[in-house]
Amino acid sequence: MKDILVKDIITESLEKAISYQEYRDLVKQLVASGSTTGNEKTEALANYTMLNDRRMKRWDKTLKISEEVQEKASNFSGNVTWLVITESWCGDAAHVIPALNKIAELSKNIDLRLVLRDENEALMDQFLTNGGRAIAKLIMIDNTTGEVINTYGPRPTEATKLVNDYKEEHGTLTPEFKEDLQGWYNKDKGQNIIQDALVLLGV
């Protein structure tokens, strides 16, 4: 029964889902109007949206995919949809989604689609992380059976370890740590996300 319900929720969300390019266009429009996605519209979140637009633009241009990764991704023989839950203000999403898009572009068998968390609460609540609505969250769906094969996120594996270790030691994430995490993303240049994506695909 629960599986049927989840499938229905996913189907409903997929009907509203947009492509990566449509998402990028949406974020640009929001920046131009000084706004943000999500139920909460604050100046701080609008500023994060503006910052994330710059981040995504940079990753779209500079993120490098090795020949080995290109070959592995192009040889993926499954048929999947990567349904990603996001919001324009989310810093992790701004780093993660452009890298996922680069991998999806390498294979005709991967369809990357995006939905907004606050507009898809029923979907989000099926895929919580430690009880929280953490994003970006990728749901990997087999297009033949409609089954959920795997999930990923909200952060790449190495960043997740950094966050968990810091929380264990300090109890909460400080603004200083969040800045350090952005530094990690910039230094890693999307490579951890790319390797994680290959593991997801089993290639």
Side-chain angles (χ1 to χ4, degrees):
M1 186 69 191
K2 185 173 185 287
D3 288 348
I4 295 166
L5 176 68
V6 174
K7 272 190 182 179
D8 287 346
I9 291 169
I10 288 171
T11 301
E12 202 176 298
S13 296
L14 280 169
E15 284 167 8
K16 296 185 277 183
I18 58 176
S19 68
Y20 180 69
Q21 189 54 56
E22 286 170 320
Y23 179 66
R24 293 292 293 109
D25 292 343
L26 170 65
V27 175
K28 280 179 201 158
Q29 287 162 16
L30 290 166
V31 171
S33 62
S35 190
T36 178
T37 63
N39 293 338
E40 204 182 330
K41 313 281 186 194
T42 65
E43 192 181 339
L45 291 177
N47 286 337
Y48 284 132
T49 291
M50 182 169 65
L51 180 61
N52 289 337
D53 181 48
R54 287 191 209 132
R55 282 173 176 150
M56 289 190 285
K57 191 176 178 183
R58 186 175 80 238
W59 290 132
D60 287 342
K61 282 184 179 172
T62 64
L63 205 141
K64 298 277 189 288
I65 307 277
S66 70
E67 282 183 22
E68 183 192 358
V69 169
Q70 288 179 41
E71 193 179 332
K72 282 181 176 177
S74 62
N75 286 338
F76 173 62
S77 60
N79 180 13
V80 299
T81 294
W82 280 354
L83 179 60
V84 180
I85 308 169
T86 184
E87 292 287 354
S88 66
W89 48 258
C90 176
D92 291 300
H95 295 293
V96 170
I97 296 172
L100 293 176
N101 178 58
K102 292 276 186 189
I103 295 291
E105 284 180 335
L106 294 170
S107 173
K108 63 183 187 304
N109 298 322
I110 306 167
D111 185 17
L112 176 64
R113 310 293 291 167
L114 298 121
V115 291
L116 300 175
R117 183 187 72 175
D118 292 357
E119 292 176 10
N120 294 271
E121 289 185 358
L123 179 71
M124 182 76 259
D125 287 345
Q126 296 296 327
F127 298 96
L128 301 175
T129 303
N130 302 323
R133 292 177 167 179
I135 50 175
K137 190 76 171 189
L138 181 154
I139 304 154
M140 183 161 151
I141 303 150
D142 184 315
N143 290 334
T144 308
T145 64
E147 298 292 336
V148 174
I149 312 167
N150 214 331
T151 62
Y152 175 71
R155 299 180 182 95
T157 47
E158 286 176 28
T160 298
K161 187 177 185 318
L162 290 173
V163 168
N164 291 345
D165 288 351
Y166 193 88
K167 270 187 180 170
E168 203 171 302
E169 194 177 334
H170 302 275
T172 185
L173 300 181
T174 61
E176 291 78 17
F177 174 81
K178 288 177 182 176
E179 211 168 287
D180 288 346
L181 186 62
Q182 295 309 318
W184 177 88
Y185 274 116
N186 292 336
K187 197 175 167 188
D188 180 69
K189 295 181 167 55
Q191 296 310 302
N192 185 207
I193 302 158
I194 287 162
Q195 291 306 318
D196 287 347
L198 294 182
V199 171
L200 263 182
L201 295 172
V203 294

